[in-house]
Amino acid sequence: MRGPELRIEHLTATHRRHPAVHHVSARFAPGSLTALVGPNGAGKTTLLRAVAGLHAPDEGHIHVSRPDGAAARVALLPQQSGMDRAFPILCRDVVLQGLWSRLGAFRGASAEDRDRAAHALEAVGLRGFERRPVSDMSAGQFQRLLFARLLVQDADLILLDEPFNAVDARTAADLLAMVHRWHGEGRTVVAVLHDLDLVRDEFPDCLLLARRKIAAGPTAEVLTAANRLEARRMAEAWDDAAPACSQAA
Amino acid sequence: MLEGLFGPFVEFSFMRRALVGCLALAVAAPVLGVFLMLRRTSLTAEVLAHGVTPGIAAGFLIAGLSVPAMSLGGLVAGLAVALGAGALSRATGGREDAALTALYLIALALGVTLVSLRGDTADLTHLLFGQVLGVDDEALLLMAGVATVTLPALALAWRPLALETFDPSFARAEGARGGLWHMLFLTLVVLNVLAAFQAMGTLMAVGLMMLPAVAARHWARELSGMAYAAVGIAALSAVAGLLASYHLDLPSGPAIVLTAGLAWALSVLAGPVDGLAARWLRRPHLAG
């Protein structure tokens, strides 16, 4: 498998007209493994949500194109806060949600599909959890469960929003191994991360964001002291009296 | 004993009709209630029950106590409140529950005013409290028809509704058309409120929808289990409530809702999932 290329051109995405992502252009090569870093409020989540089709951009374009021209499958691992973790659903059924693009609202899951779900649970270290309700799980276990769903989704562009938050070292290592496996399979992976040591050690490419793009490229060239200082200078608060952007179309 | 349980239904046709009507309500409405509860919109049903009143009252003004006219009016008014509140809160950036509250208070007052324009106190009582023991053929057909439509529709909408409730972002990213299914769901809620309204009146219409659903949370840890539990509790409450109203000479609508309330209280106390008794018993913890 050769993952798709992700190209972002002049992207602006706003919350109540204030830009969270401001005129950002970037290219993620097919099969690349990129860390998306930047201070809080830098627009990392908004960028991922825009790529996943969950946040309509105000301006600019997002292109996801596979080398063979087929439609790319995009999967997003969101932050857990948007989910109802008390919902009465079994782990197996959460994993089976990953088959939505094939099963849709009506088709039943075959024995093979159930097998796949069981294997995915095993792969994330949740063997034997098939019939447990998600409300029983810890935050770390829940994150493993979401990885199992991603695994079943079998997407070729994978977007991870703070995938290792609130998980212990062993879980983080397991999940990181899975990210590397996806990378090895040629999928294109973009992950929002805060742990810069981890980024330096494990992620070949990096995009440093502070609403606008600060730097992009090989991680060592991006995470320089000068670049990080510049990212930190981003004002956290919106300017309520900001005029319309001069570059706005 | 047996005579007390079955006698009233064997002897009186109005009791049999009430039983059939209430059982029809009990198989469909509580499942909707379970979804409303899980979506944290339990109050929506209550709001819709009041929201349908001006439409029902308008139907009453035009055609008298006619089930088709009142139901049609109620359907229009209920959908207007349900969709209007959603649109209003999105447009003004406010909270949906606030918009719903404003709309239903207006709707209830408007409904009562409209009925008073033409009807007398008996009509108003009928509107507010319903008449389980006076359901006619048309009302019975409406209740059975709504249940017949609701169950298959829910079966179709089951997976998207569950997915949308559990993880709305995922549903959107996967193109699960959550909005469309949500509309269908709200329409079903309005229909069930209208059916219940015939028997229980505007003030109690959602009793059989929400109380069994909230009680079911204490009996199952998985969605379909909750749905079964809710339907079971609703059916038992309907039968027990009707019997209580017959033997103790209580108003039947409130008797049914009170029975459902009793079932809820018992569930909170003794239900296996998060029941109070389990906490009080303090059984020793397990080894692993």
Side-chain angles (χ1 to χ4, degrees):
Chain A
M1 171 191 269
R2 193 92 180 108
E5 178 192 56
L6 166 61
R7 227 160 8 98
I8 295 169
E9 286 169 2
H10 226 61
L11 182 76
T12 296
T14 61
H15 296 287
R16 299 185 179 207
R17 291 182 66 214
H18 294 287
V21 176
H22 206 183
H23 301 297
V24 170
S25 295
R27 178 182 175 271
F28 302 80
S32 58
L33 173 59
T34 310
L36 188 51
V37 298
N40 288 329
K44 306 181 295 293
T45 295
T46 306
L47 182 71
L48 283 198
R49 286 175 59 82
V51 174
L54 293 174
H55 190 121
D58 290 63
E59 270 178 52
H61 296 282
I62 296 163
H63 303 281
V64 184
S65 48
R66 258 165 60 145
D68 60 3
R73 280 162 309 178
V74 182
L76 168 69
L77 177 88
Q79 292 181 35
Q80 288 184 14
S81 49
M83 254 173 265
D84 180 6
R85 277 181 52 199
F87 192 80
I89 187 170
L90 304 179
C91 289
R92 184 195 62 202
D93 294 336
V94 174
V95 179
L96 284 172
Q97 288 171 358
L99 295 173
W100 179 276
S101 58
R102 190 156 58 73
L103 298 181
F106 308 125
R107 271 183 292 274
S110 64
E112 202 181 317
D113 293 333
R114 281 170 207 284
D115 265 5
R116 240 173 104 185
H119 280 303
L121 279 171
E122 202 173 325
V124 297
L126 290 177
R127 191 174 164 176
F129 274 67
E130 282 91 337
R131 300 203 53 82
R132 297 233 189 143
V134 296
S135 49
D136 278 0
M137 307 185 92
S138 71
Q141 286 171 333
F142 193 77
Q143 192 72 343
R144 285 171 181 262
L145 181 67
L146 293 182
F147 263 79
R149 184 171 76 178
L150 265 182
L151 203 59
V152 168
Q153 269 183 282
D154 192 28
D156 31 27
L157 172 58
I158 299 174
L159 312 165
L160 308 168
D161 198 352
E162 304 198 9
F164 311 130
N165 258 22
V167 301
D168 62 14
R170 196 181 103 193
T171 305
D174 287 354
L175 298 183
L176 184 65
M178 191 153 287
V179 172
H180 280 304
R181 207 179 98 195
W182 286 328
H183 181 49
E185 287 166 354
R187 301 175 205 263
T188 308
V189 182
V190 181
V192 170
L193 293 166
H194 282 297
D195 180 350
L196 294 186
D197 291 327
L198 179 80
V199 173
R200 282 196 193 90
D201 292 343
E202 309 282 352
F203 287 75
D205 291 303
C206 187
L207 169 60
L208 178 56
L209 203 65
R211 287 195 206 127
R212 63 194 174 86
K213 181 171 82 177
I214 302 290
T219 300
E221 293 168 27
V222 171
L223 292 183
T224 60
N227 281 341
R228 285 166 54 201
L229 188 68
E230 197 180 339
R232 266 205 296 272
R233 269 206 298 264
M234 177 193 86
E236 281 234 16
W238 283 323
D239 181 359
D240 281 329
C245 175
S246 61
Q247 293 180 63
Chain B
M1 176 71 188
L2 278 181
E3 170 61 25
L5 282 181
F6 296 106
F9 300 119
V10 174
E11 202 171 331
F12 299 107
S13 79
F14 69 86
M15 284 295 285
R16 281 199 296 279
R17 302 168 81 88
L19 180 69
V20 171
C22 289
L23 286 179
L25 294 179
V27 289
V31 188
L32 295 168
V34 167
F35 274 105
L36 283 168
M37 172 186 71
L38 292 174
R39 297 171 88 95
R40 299 176 203 281
T41 50
S42 299
L43 283 176
T44 300
E46 187 62 40
V47 166
L48 288 179
H50 297 337
V52 298
T53 43
I56 288 172
F60 168 75
L61 275 185
I62 294 163
L65 282 170
S66 137
V67 171
M70 286 171 28
S71 302
L72 194 66
L75 184 64
V76 172
L79 288 178
V81 169
L83 306 180
L88 196 63
S89 64
R90 272 193 299 279
T92 60
R95 294 171 51 108
E96 185 160 354
D97 61 342
L100 277 170
T101 307
L103 283 179
Y104 99 76
L105 288 169
I106 296 167
L108 185 60
L110 188 62
V112 171
T113 311
L114 283 178
V115 171
S116 310
L117 283 183
R118 180 170 143 180
D120 51 25
T121 326
D123 295 324
L124 194 58
T125 312
H126 181 101
L127 178 79
L128 292 179
F129 299 107
Q131 258 172 345
V132 181
L133 302 182
V135 287
D136 55 13
D137 283 352
E138 279 178 325
L140 206 54
L141 274 175
L142 177 70
M143 291 155 104
V146 164
T148 309
V149 170
T150 302
L151 284 179
L154 258 183
L156 287 177
W158 191 269
R159 197 185 288 170
L161 278 179
L163 182 64
E164 231 253 319
T165 312
F166 169 63
D167 189 350
S169 297
F170 182 80
R172 252 182 81 198
E174 292 290 295
R177 296 172 169 278
L180 203 70
W181 293 109
H182 186 62
M183 298 265 283
L184 171 70
F185 175 71
L186 282 179
T187 310
L188 291 176
V189 174
V190 172
L191 280 174
N192 276 270
V193 163
L194 279 174
F197 169 85
Q198 300 296 333
M200 327 273 284
T202 180
L203 292 183
M204 313 248 170
V206 295
L208 265 187
M209 184 182 286
M210 293 315 301
L211 276 169
V214 180
R217 194 177 83 76
H218 295 285
W219 295 97
R221 311 198 60 185
E222 200 258 339
L223 184 56
S224 50
M226 271 188 200
Y228 287 124
V231 169
I233 292 169
L236 280 178
S237 307
V239 176
L242 280 173
L243 285 171
S245 96
Y246 177 85
H247 290 298
L248 305 176
D249 200 18
L250 302 171
S252 41
I256 292 170
V257 176
L258 276 177
T259 315
L262 191 65
W264 169 74
L266 282 176
S267 307
V268 171
L269 275 176
V273 181
D274 298 336
L276 290 175
R279 197 182 305 171
W280 291 335
L281 277 177
R282 282 196 62 85
R283 288 179 296 175
H285 67 264
L286 306 172

